[in-house]
């Protein structure tokens, strides 16, 4: 056997036990020399530690000069201790089905909510950016957040505090449109914005050339950089704390790639008008963009005269409240409480539509007709579901963010105005065909077919459990009744699905179609209306498959 090119003279398996001699004790001089060496090493290490500390401090200070790093640091300073406290209660001190019982667990969580909700609210309003957008997104469902959080997140849907002053907005417009002054093209400028969102603000003015009233959407400076930093930070948090939401966050990040370019929204508006108005123009309206008022950070469009859909519904509750001898506010609170506690169940959109139609006829026969007739919310949500089914399956171009703040009731009291098309997704026909097959499987309520179609569309799971595929897919793309949720709220349902069969990857566009479905259904549920996405999207799925030669 060779070792470094030379032949060994003993076999490797042999071992020689050589007795060890005791080490001699060091002399006093040796001890002093060793001590001097140690002291010199300690003295030389102290400057190095000091330099390392200075370097880390300097790096942190320089990082804080970068707004993205500073916002991320602020997020973790607020959220990490809060998350640790929630985690401790959830997994250690008051774990589910633990010795302290679920009643004590619920009571402990109520204390946490009361303690931390004001902190999260202040941080959200201070930091704004994507954190504000995230608060709007999660407030569309009553079963995702505790009520104490919902109280203030709901208000952010249409009561976002201002960021830009009127003068700052004018400066942005003048710079973007290369004008000496805004007054060169606009007159009758109103200093108070008519709309405020997480990215920009909308102002009312009049075109100097034609006298037409217009709405001017102005993007907040540095909004794009701020949002990108926020989304990256939230991706880290969801990966750690909410694993089932991580893939969703990645899809949202992709969608925001284009939302900061208002020229892209300009093209989206034109596409939506072309696709929808020929079929639905008698029931909805989409504002016309004005090319000379458009740039990357400014979007001008015709002004739609009306009010937020939610506000219009509340105003028209008066006849129903009077029948009960209550104010509108009391009646609305009673209905919301009944829905939250289960005393009142959400009813199907079709049934509510017929009930409201009969109620209107009865009032007319009795001579009780008024200008503030209640709105047929059942019929409206039937229409909205069909409109978005056309967008997703027929047009391949859909608004992925149809939250209630983007729906107006125009002055005639009948026509809906659809606004804010910054988050529009374009999907190829191959994806739409696979989605159409999945929608038909959901409408048949066939678990094997749903599981197969979900796999074919490109959803990758760890185990491919049929029951989990059916229930989670049904929640996202069809319904969330007792059969699907089995008494769980949305958060617990997603946690259950992640524990049973984690999602490893989603095809592009899939989550955003799911989000469109859930947002519409969640908005309807807030009004006591229950809809099935598959029911209203099925005709478009069948037409698409027939068009491309597939057997329905």
């Amino acid at each position: 056997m060779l070792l470094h090119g030379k032949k060994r003279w003993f076999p490797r398996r042999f071992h020689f036990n050589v007795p060890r001699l005791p080490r001699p004790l060091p002399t006093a001089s040796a001890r002093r020399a060793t001590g001097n060496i140690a002291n010199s090493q300690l003295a030389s290490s102290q400057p190095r530690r000091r330099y390392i500390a200075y370097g880390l401090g300097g790096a942190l200070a320089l990082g804080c000069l970068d707004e993205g790093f500073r916002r991320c640091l602020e997020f973790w300073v607020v959220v990490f201790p809060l998350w640790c406290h929630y985690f401790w209660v959830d997994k250690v001190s008051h774990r589910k089905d633990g010795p302290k019982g679920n009643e004590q667990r619920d009571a402990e969580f109520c204390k946490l909510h009361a303690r931390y909700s004001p902190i999260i609210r202040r941080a959200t309003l201070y930091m704004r950016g994507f954190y504000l957008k995230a608060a709007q997104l999660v407030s569309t469902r009553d079963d995702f957040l505790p009520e104490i959080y919902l109280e203030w997140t709901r208000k952010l849907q249409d009561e976002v505090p201002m960021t830009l002053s009127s003068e700052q907005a004018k400066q942005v417009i003048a710079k973007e449109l290369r004008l000496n002054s805004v007054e060169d093209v606009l007159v009758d400028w109103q200093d108070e914005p008519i709309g405020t969102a997480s990215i920009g603000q909308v102002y009312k003015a009049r075109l100097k050339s034609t006298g037409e009233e217009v709405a001017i959407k102005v993007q907040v400076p540095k909004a794009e950089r701020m949002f990108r930093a926020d989304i990256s930070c939230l991706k880290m948090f969801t990966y750690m704390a909410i694993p089932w939401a991580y893939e969703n966050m990645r899809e949202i990040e992709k969608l925001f790639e284009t939302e900061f370019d208002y020229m892209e929204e300009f093209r989206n508006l034109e596409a939506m008008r072309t696709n929808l108005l020929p079929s639905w123009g008698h029931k909805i309206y989409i504002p016309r963009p004005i090319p000379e008022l458009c740039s990357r950070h400014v979007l001008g469009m015709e002004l739609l005269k009306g009010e937020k859909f939610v506000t219009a519904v509340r105003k028209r509750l008066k006849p129903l409240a009077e029948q009960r001898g209550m104010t509108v506010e009391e009646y609305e609170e009673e209905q919301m409480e009944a829905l939250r506690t289960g005393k009142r169940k959400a009813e199907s959109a079709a049934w509510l539509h017929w009930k409201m139609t009969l109620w209107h006829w009865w009032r007319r026969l009795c001579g009780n007709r008024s200008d503030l007739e209640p709105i047929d919310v059942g019929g409206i949500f039937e229409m909205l579901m069909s409109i978005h089914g056309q967008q997703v399956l027929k047009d391949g171009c859909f608004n992925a963010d149809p939250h209630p703040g983007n729906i107006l009731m125009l002055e005639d009291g009948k026509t809906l105005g659809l606004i804010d098309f910054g988050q529009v997704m374009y999907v190829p026909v191959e994806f739409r065909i696979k989605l159409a097959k999945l929608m038909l499987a959901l409408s048949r309520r066939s678990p094997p077919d749903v599981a197969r179609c979900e796999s074919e569309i490109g959803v990758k799971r760890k185990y491919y459990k049929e029951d989990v595929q059916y229930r989670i897919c049904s929640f996202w793309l069809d319904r969330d009744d007792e059969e699907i949720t089995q008494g769980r709220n949305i958060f617990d349902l997603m946690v259950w699905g992640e524990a049973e069969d984690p999602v490893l990857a989603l095809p592009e566009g899939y989550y955003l179609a799911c989000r469109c479905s859930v947002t519409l259904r969640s908005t309807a549920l807030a009004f006591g209306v229950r809809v099935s996405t598959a029911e209203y999207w099925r005709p478009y799925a069948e037409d698409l498959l027939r068009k491309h030669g597939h057997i329905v």
Side-chain angles (χ1 to χ4, degrees):
M1 187 178 294
L2 296 178
L3 180 64
H4 300 301
K6 296 183 179 180
K7 192 172 182 179
R8 297 179 57 146
W9 63 272
F10 60 88
R12 186 185 294 274
R13 67 178 180 273
F14 289 171
H15 299 280
F16 299 93
N17 295 321
V18 180
R20 293 183 178 180
L21 298 176
R23 291 184 178 180
L25 295 175
T27 62
S29 60
R31 287 197 298 271
R32 283 194 300 272
T34 302
N36 291 336
I37 292 172
N39 290 335
S40 64
Q41 289 176 344
L42 180 62
S44 63
S45 67
Q46 286 178 349
R48 286 201 300 270
R49 292 176 183 173
R50 194 160 51 244
Y51 295 148
I52 291 172
Y54 289 159
L56 290 174
L60 184 62
L62 287 173
C64 288
L65 295 177
D66 177 74
E67 188 173 5
F69 179 85
R70 178 180 57 77
R71 290 177 64 80
C72 191
L73 184 63
E74 289 174 339
F75 171 84
W76 285 106
V77 166
V78 173
V79 171
F80 188 71
L82 179 153
W83 176 78
C84 289
H85 198 172
Y86 270 98
F87 184 85
W88 174 263
V89 172
D90 184 39
K91 302 297 183 184
V92 182
S93 67
H94 293 75
R95 65 183 183 274
K96 196 170 185 179
D97 300 323
K100 293 187 178 181
N102 290 335
E103 288 188 4
Q104 286 193 30
R105 172 185 166 88
D106 292 342
E108 190 66 21
F109 271 112
C110 286
K111 293 179 184 177
L112 293 184
H113 301 332
R115 177 178 179 179
Y116 290 123
S117 177
I119 296 174
I120 295 297
R121 178 182 177 274
R122 286 194 297 269
T124 302
L125 294 177
Y126 167 71
M127 297 185 70
R128 298 178 62 90
F130 187 74
Y131 304 117
L132 198 61
K133 187 70 176 178
Q136 292 174 330
L137 291 175
V138 297
S139 67
T140 56
R141 286 193 67 95
D142 289 349
D143 58 351
F144 188 78
L145 291 176
E147 181 60 28
I148 195 169
Y149 284 94
L150 281 172
E151 288 177 1
W152 59 269
T153 53
R154 281 198 200 102
K155 295 179 180 179
L156 295 179
Q157 292 179 7
D158 53 7
E159 296 180 12
V160 178
M162 289 175 55
T163 300
L164 285 175
S165 67
S166 177
E167 287 304 316
Q168 289 172 326
K170 287 181 179 180
Q171 291 172 9
V172 173
I173 294 172
K175 180 181 177 181
E176 286 289 318
L177 301 182
R178 295 183 174 88
L179 303 171
N180 293 324
S181 172
V182 170
E183 285 72 20
D184 293 344
V185 294
L186 297 173
V187 295
D188 296 338
W189 175 278
Q190 291 191 3
D191 290 332
E192 190 71 21
I194 58 174
T196 306
S198 51
I199 290 177
Q201 292 175 186
V202 183
Y203 290 86
K204 179 181 175 181
R206 193 182 297 273
L207 272 178
K208 187 176 182 179
S209 57
T210 64
E212 178 186 3
E213 287 188 311
V214 294
I216 309 293
K217 187 176 180 180
V218 185
Q219 189 175 129
V220 176
K222 300 182 180 179
E224 183 173 0
R225 185 177 181 183
M226 186 167 57
F227 263 65
R228 293 189 188 281
D230 295 348
I231 293 175
S232 298
C233 193
L234 278 176
K235 278 174 61 182
M236 288 190 290
F237 177 73
T238 52
Y239 186 81
M240 176 184 73
I242 320 173
W244 60 264
Y246 180 70
E247 286 296 326
N248 302 346
M249 284 297 303
R250 291 181 62 186
E251 289 297 310
I252 291 174
E253 183 179 32
K254 292 177 185 176
L255 186 62
F256 271 93
E257 292 292 328
T258 59
E259 185 165 0
F260 300 99
D261 185 354
Y262 284 175
M263 290 304 298
E264 188 68 27
E265 186 171 350
F266 173 92
R267 290 184 282 270
N268 294 340
L269 276 169
E270 291 192 319
M272 288 295 175
R273 286 172 58 84
T274 301
N275 293 338
L276 298 179
L277 293 186
S279 302
W280 299 97
H282 60 297
K283 293 186 176 181
I284 68 168
Y285 192 73
I286 297 169
R288 171 179 50 85
I290 302 172
E292 59 267 29
L293 294 180
C294 295
S295 71
R296 181 175 173 80
H297 298 127
V298 173
L299 177 63
M301 67 198 92
E302 64 177 312
L303 179 70
L304 297 188
K305 295 181 180 180
E307 56 190 347
K308 293 289 178 66
F309 175 67
V310 175
T311 305
V313 172
R314 287 172 178 161
K315 279 186 179 180
R316 288 161 175 79
L317 289 176
K318 187 176 180 180
L320 297 176
E322 287 176 347
Q323 285 185 348
R324 302 285 304 276
M326 307 168 73
T327 65
V328 172
E329 291 75 16
E330 291 170 342
Y331 180 81
E332 183 184 2
E333 181 58 33
E334 180 190 73
Q335 296 301 308
M336 294 295 295
E337 183 65 23
L339 285 170
R340 281 195 297 266
T341 58
K343 293 179 182 178
R344 178 194 164 197
K345 298 293 184 182
E347 300 178 90
S348 74
W351 172 239
L352 281 173
H353 171 60
W354 282 108
K355 280 175 64 176
M356 186 57 65
T357 301
L358 293 173
W359 190 85
H360 281 308
W361 278 105
W362 175 253
R363 282 180 62 84
R364 289 177 184 177
L365 289 173
C366 296
N368 294 329
R369 187 174 181 180
S370 68
D371 294 333
L372 286 178
E373 291 287 329
I375 292 175
D376 178 13
V377 291
I380 283 178
F381 281 108
E382 284 191 304
M383 179 180 67
L384 287 172
M385 291 302 297
S386 296
I387 287 173
H388 287 82
Q390 175 183 324
Q391 291 179 40
V392 174
L393 294 168
K394 181 181 178 181
D395 304 329
C397 164
F398 66 93
N399 182 12
D401 189 26
H403 67 78
N406 292 342
I407 304 171
L408 305 178
M409 177 62 73
L410 302 188
E411 284 183 333
D412 63 4
K414 299 177 182 179
T415 307
L416 290 186
L418 304 184
I419 60 173
D420 195 353
F421 291 93
Q423 296 188 33
V424 169
M425 183 73 188
Y426 294 82
V427 288
V429 68
E430 295 80 9
F431 172 83
R432 288 186 279 137
I433 289 172
K434 293 177 182 178
L435 181 61
K437 292 178 180 179
L438 179 56
M439 296 308 300
L440 293 184
L442 287 167
S443 69
R444 294 192 297 268
R445 301 192 176 182
S446 170
D449 290 347
V450 170
R452 174 178 54 79
C453 291
E454 189 205 49
S455 300
E456 289 176 355
I457 205 172
V459 178
K460 295 182 180 179
R461 293 180 173 273
K462 189 172 184 178
Y463 304 116
Y464 294 96
K465 293 183 178 179
E466 183 179 290
D467 177 57
V468 178
Q469 288 180 278
Y470 175 67
R471 289 174 58 192
I472 298 300
C473 188
S474 293
F475 167 78
W476 283 114
L477 282 171
D478 184 25
R479 58 200 170 97
D480 44 23
D481 53 22
E482 187 66 25
E483 178 192 351
I484 299 303
T485 64
Q486 295 188 356
R488 294 182 174 94
N489 61 32
I490 177 178
F491 188 86
D492 290 339
L493 179 66
M494 293 297 107
V495 170
W496 170 82
E498 179 69 18
E500 291 290 320
D501 194 0
V503 173
L504 303 179
L506 295 173
E508 187 174 0
Y510 179 78
Y511 166 69
L512 297 175
C514 293
R515 177 181 160 194
C516 176
S517 166
V518 169
T519 302
L520 287 168
R521 296 193 338 258
S522 301
T523 304
L525 275 177
F527 293 96
V529 182
R530 188 174 293 280
V531 289
S532 161
T533 305
E535 177 184 353
Y536 294 98
W537 290 14
R538 178 173 183 165
Y540 299 101
E542 292 174 340
D543 289 345
L544 177 69
L545 293 176
R546 288 194 193 98
K547 181 179 178 181
H548 292 276
H550 295 270
I551 298 175
V552 178

